[in-house]
Amino acid sequence: MELDGVSAEDFIYAPTTVALVFDSEAVSYMNQSETTPYILRGKPLAGGYFIIYVDESDVERVVTRYASFTASVFPFVLGLLGEAELSASGITQIHRQPYLNLKGGGVLLGFVGTGIDYTKNAFRYEDGSSKIQYIWDQSIRGGSPPGYLYGTEYNNSIINEALRSENPHDIVPHEDTSGHGTFLASVAASREQGEYLGAAPDSEIIVVKLKKARPFNYNRHLIPRDQKNAFATDDFMMGIQYILDKAQELRRPVAICIALGTNVGTHDGFTRVETYLSRISGIPGVAVCTAAGNEANARHHTHGRIPATGNTHNIEVRASNKEEDIYIQLLNPISDRMSVSVTSPAGELVSRIPARSGIIYRHNLILERSTAIVEYLFPIEISGTQVTRVKILAATPGVWTITVYGDYVIDGTYHAWLPVTGFISPETYFLAPTPNYTIVTPATSMGPVTCGAYNSRDNSLYAASSWGPTRLPAMKPDLVAPGVDVAGILPGGYGKMSGTSVASAITAGASALLLQWGIVKQNNLSMDNYHVRAALIAGCERYRNNEYPNHQWGYGKLNLYNTFRSLRPR
């Protein structure tokens, strides 16, 4: 429908606008309907998905009418994963091979996150010009890329114009206030020599700075209001699509680094953001590397098994002394039906709420200021999973107990997650946590390379690196790369960072070298992410006394030199 005089960009940035992810069949039905409500359709995405925008007052009407699986259309909120290693990864050895001559020339590296400090020498050639081909800053209005409805695009020409001026930000006002994106780009693609040389120094860069998630997303997932680095998956998917479009326009292969994640989702690879990444992984010339997450020791996951119908299990959550909101997600398989009750630290009971899909039950506690909300959704698209969401507003400090009832049990397993680190106080956690199944969404996707982290100085696993498998179950992570005290470049100068974000950036740089060998040098013109993933796994370095694959190290440590040795004819 027409927007009644409101521009598309104004509508997208309006505080009451909500973004939803639909497939092409649903959108086609919308277009044929004579009673379509106030809907703005965005750019189509690879794999048959569309982002549509509606006013918050129309959400229920649109979802009820057009969504076969209502839980699937709502975006998640992603957070950042973390705040000498090239030699350990076998990348320096590849740089030194004169016959291969691989440093990323002719390949693009794509980053979706907090942006980049484009003024740094790390991202400039010897003549002072920028190696950054495009920046799409979704947070700056007024200059959207062709075919897109919001944000501002800066191409290489205007970036170079800015770099020649005395005040670059007067021409290109894009900034990375977090520094996360700048650091990862430096690890993957810096041209500075020595400790700060990137894995693919001759590659060029495309950057997407995500805009902050909408108020609707903050409210739906109880994200703390002071958390600035919270990004919705609809904007994330648009950012990935932008990188793909630009890579196609420039006719170059691209390796994309994803260092964002969430504990929301079904953790089985079947959410729409995950299936989108799986579908683009089959495009020749595209490699996608995702960070596994830093959740292994965060105490944000627990699981158990109810042995028979009628039995119960208790999940205990310690709430911090801040009276913050708590978001808990429980999942159980298609074969079972489960319901919950909630008991406060003072012993006030919210009796068992029967499991009926789509029902939201809200209970204001009498003896405490807290409010308990329970919502059931089933079946979830593809997997048929049941999702139970328990939200506790202004949670009283102390131990909250969620009792899980086995209403109908065949399998009996259940899993529960708290939000990722940064979205909840570190003093809020499960009393009986388990480190397995802590791979974040979208790293549980079946297509991309999922990267854990290890310490290359003592060959120990990074303590926070998330463990697999997925709920499918599928083996994750695929491999580990250096991710402890890695040197890099921040907007304020040089620094170090730890986490699986760094590991994913190093792996993306290694993937860029593989794409250069395969696509640019024409050794394998069909090389896609599945080829890249298989080649990296084949080259992994493994300890003799360990069994592989395993849920901590995957198939072993990234070693690109071994990967190229494995590509030789045998």
Side-chain angles (χ1 to χ4, degrees):
M1 292 181 62
E2 296 296 324
L3 295 180
D4 297 330
V6 178
S7 73
E9 187 172 57
D10 285 343
F11 186 57
I12 288 173
Y13 283 103
T16 59
T17 295
V18 176
L20 302 169
V21 184
F22 278 91
D23 56 33
S24 56
E25 290 80 6
V27 172
S28 177
Y29 179 52
M30 289 179 197
N31 294 338
Q32 296 170 11
S33 174
E34 297 180 0
T35 58
T36 304
Y38 196 53
I39 292 175
L40 173 65
R41 190 181 75 178
K43 179 181 172 64
L45 304 176
Y49 291 125
F50 283 84
I51 308 297
I52 70 164
Y53 305 92
V54 301
D55 187 80
E56 194 168 337
S57 61
D58 283 318
V59 169
E60 184 176 354
R61 183 155 47 124
V62 172
V63 170
T64 301
R65 182 174 177 81
Y66 299 109
S68 300
F69 298 90
T70 58
S72 303
V73 301
F74 289 101
F76 305 145
V77 179
L78 305 172
L80 305 180
L81 300 178
E83 306 283 340
E85 287 53 36
L86 299 187
S87 179
S89 301
I91 294 173
T92 302
Q93 294 90 321
I94 292 299
H95 288 175
R96 292 173 179 166
Q97 292 291 320
Y99 176 72
L100 288 174
N101 190 26
L102 298 176
K103 292 189 177 180
V107 179
L108 298 165
L109 271 163
F111 301 90
V112 181
T114 66
I116 191 169
D117 185 345
Y118 66 89
T119 67
K120 292 296 182 186
N121 289 332
F123 311 121
R124 300 169 73 168
Y125 292 110
E126 287 70 18
D127 63 2
S129 63
S130 179
K131 64 183 287 183
I132 302 170
Q133 293 301 298
Y134 288 98
I135 299 171
W136 178 29
D137 192 327
Q138 296 181 353
S139 69
I140 299 176
R141 300 175 60 170
S144 57
Y148 292 78
L149 301 177
Y150 60 105
T152 297
E153 177 184 74
Y154 303 101
N155 61 25
N156 180 257
S157 177
I158 194 169
I159 294 169
N160 284 327
E161 180 185 342
L163 292 174
R164 290 191 295 266
S165 70
E166 292 185 4
N167 299 300
H169 291 101
D170 290 345
I171 298 173
V172 177
H174 168 83
E175 293 183 271
D176 176 12
T177 55
S178 162
H180 189 261
T182 301
F183 191 96
L184 299 185
S186 75
V187 169
S190 170
R191 292 185 62 78
E192 290 200 18
Q193 297 299 310
E195 190 176 14
Y196 303 102
L197 182 70
D202 290 349
S203 64
E204 294 189 316
I205 296 171
I206 299 175
V207 173
V208 177
K209 179 177 179 177
L210 299 172
K211 67 180 182 66
K212 188 177 177 180
R214 297 174 178 81
F216 178 87
N217 303 114
Y218 270 74
N219 293 336
R220 182 174 173 82
H221 298 290
L222 303 184
I223 306 297
R225 291 297 178 180
D226 60 356
Q227 175 55 258
K228 297 179 181 179
N229 295 310
F231 313 107
T233 51
D234 58 284
D235 293 319
F236 167 79
M237 292 167 74
M238 292 294 284
I240 297 292
Q241 190 63 47
Y242 174 82
I243 292 172
L244 295 178
D245 288 349
K246 290 304 178 184
Q248 185 177 35
E249 181 182 309
L250 295 170
R251 303 184 70 180
R252 296 190 203 174
V254 61
I256 302 173
C257 174
I258 297 173
L260 304 167
T262 179
N263 276 341
V264 178
T266 51
H267 293 261
D268 55 12
F270 291 140
T271 65
R272 293 197 172 184
V273 65
E274 292 167 302
T275 56
Y276 170 70
L277 292 179
S278 293
R279 291 173 186 180
I280 69 171
S281 293
I283 300 174
V286 174
V288 183
C289 300
T290 60
N294 308 317
E295 293 290 298
N297 60 358
R299 297 177 287 185
H300 292 163
H301 168 261
T302 190
H303 75 281
R305 183 174 182 273
I306 296 176
T309 299
N311 288 180
T312 64
H313 267 195
N314 287 341
I315 299 173
E316 293 181 316
V317 182
R318 184 195 183 279
S320 74
N321 59 7
K322 299 178 181 179
E323 291 194 346
E324 64 180 347
D325 299 335
I326 301 177
Y327 182 104
I328 306 158
Q329 177 182 262
L330 289 89
L331 303 178
N332 60 264
I334 189 173
S335 60
D336 300 345
R337 191 65 62 236
M338 297 183 186
S339 56
V340 298
S341 67
V342 180
T343 306
S344 75
E348 188 167 350
L349 174 65
V350 179
S351 299
R352 185 182 73 86
I353 298 111
R356 298 191 182 110
S357 185
I359 297 298
I360 300 176
Y361 179 85
R362 184 185 185 99
H363 179 85
N364 296 319
L365 274 65
I366 297 172
L367 303 178
E368 298 158 82
R369 293 192 303 169
S370 306
T371 298
I373 301 170
V374 175
E375 178 183 9
Y376 301 107
L377 291 167
F378 56 84
I380 299 300
E381 188 173 11
I382 302 178
S383 66
T385 298
Q386 175 186 332
V387 175
T388 303
R389 294 183 181 130
V390 178
K391 301 178 183 180
I392 305 171
L393 309 184
T396 303
V399 176
W400 289 77
T401 301
I402 300 167
T403 300
V404 185
Y405 295 80
D407 299 340
Y408 181 76
V409 171
I410 295 177
D411 180 291
T413 58
Y414 66 83
H415 293 264
W417 283 268
L418 289 164
V420 291
T421 302
F423 285 2
I424 194 170
S425 166
E427 299 169 7
T428 298
Y429 50 82
F430 291 119
L431 292 186
T434 51
N436 290 101
Y437 302 93
T438 52
I439 305 289
V440 298
T441 303
T444 44
S445 174
M446 295 300 103
V449 181
T450 300
C451 312
Y454 80 102
N455 187 333
S456 60
R457 292 164 181 79
D458 63 10
N459 287 319
S460 63
L461 188 72
Y462 175 50
S465 185
S466 291
W467 295 15
T470 73
R471 270 189 64 250
L472 194 56
M475 179 56 63
K476 292 287 180 178
D478 293 308
L479 51 80
V480 296
V484 178
D485 291 334
V486 178
I489 297 165
L490 294 159
Y494 301 108
K496 292 186 177 182
M497 187 181 291
S498 298
T500 57
S501 286
V502 182
S504 69
I506 291 174
T507 306
S511 299
L513 302 186
L514 270 173
L515 289 173
Q516 182 187 9
W517 177 83
I519 304 293
V520 179
K521 292 184 174 289
Q522 300 186 6
N523 288 297
N524 181 358
L525 292 176
S526 65
M527 181 171 279
D528 58 14
N529 196 85
Y530 297 107
H531 287 86
V532 168
R533 179 170 171 265
L536 293 179
I537 287 174
C540 279
E541 184 179 341
R542 291 175 268 273
Y543 298 119
R544 290 183 179 179
N545 295 330
N546 285 3
E547 183 177 336
Y548 294 94
N550 62 65
H551 298 147
Q552 295 84 44
W553 296 80
Y555 287 87
K557 299 188 299 182
L558 173 69
N559 190 314
L560 190 64
Y561 184 69
N562 283 351
T563 289
F564 276 96
R565 291 179 63 189
S566 74
L567 293 173
R568 295 180 302 181
R570 299 190 180 189

